[in-house]
Amino acid sequence: MLNFAELTGQTQTHLQPVPSEQHSLQADTAAAYQRLKQAASEQSINMNIASGFRSLERQLAIWNRKWRGELPLLDKTGSSLDVNSLTNREKLTAILHWSALPGASRHHWGTDLDIYDARGLADSDSSLQLIPAEYCDPKGPCYNLWVWLSEHAHEYGFFFPYARYQGGIAQEPWHLSYRPVANKLQQQLTVDALIELIRSLEIEGQSTILEHINDIYKNYINNICEDNGWTNTWCGSSSF
């Protein structure tokens, strides 16, 4: 279990550096990831972390910039929205589809990570965008990684919380979560804890967030894919 500051990304005392990567994870997760990475390398897959721990401060900055229209605000198809034409509720929904509520990101826990295949990217001479086509399209640079993970990630304790779109956060075939620890932390993160945190933050849209906090908790925090693994038919499914 984590203390409140660790659970909500306000400190890094629960983390340790991942060898050969410029990222940190929760200790048990880091060890499991190293085993997963070694197994992938034996299949000529050079798995690396694109994003591990993410702090509350960073998540808050992203949220506030999106709310103010300083970062692009997208609809479920990835098309740009005019932030000035949206109601606060519409703005809230648009941001939550792509970005976690500060304090509620699974990346705060150090149990969740975004991964990619460095070898696949090098062979395709492309830069990582973290879009489903990179993983779901047979010609995508991370397709071989995804196929292998779909069969073996669960053997190392990992699952895919956003394997498909289910009315909350967009599909993320690059997002792995270490189930043995993450499931306990998900239960630890309560609505009351989130309310306490949001009230303490200088966060844009605070009143709208608090008004809809129960819906946010149900549809964007607890609404994850619980499958032990996933099948190829999941990847590439519609995100709207």
Side-chain angles (χ1 to χ4, degrees), residues 65-99:
R65 292 185 67 194
K66 285 191 174 185
W67 191 277
R68 293 192 294 259
E70 297 168 1
L71 289 176
L73 205 57
L74 308 176
D75 65 15
K76 294 177 183 178
T77 70
S79 300
S80 295
L81 293 168
D82 177 7
V83 66
N84 296 315
S85 70
L86 302 177
T87 65
N88 283 346
R89 178 62 189 274
E90 290 171 337
K91 195 185 302 186
L92 179 73
T93 300
I95 296 175
L96 286 170
H97 183 74
W98 301 103
S99 299

Side-chain angles (χ1 to χ4, degrees), residues 146-155 230:
W146 172 76
V147 170
W148 186 82
L149 286 173
S150 70
E151 298 177 359
H152 300 288
H154 68 277
E155 299 170 5
W230 61 2

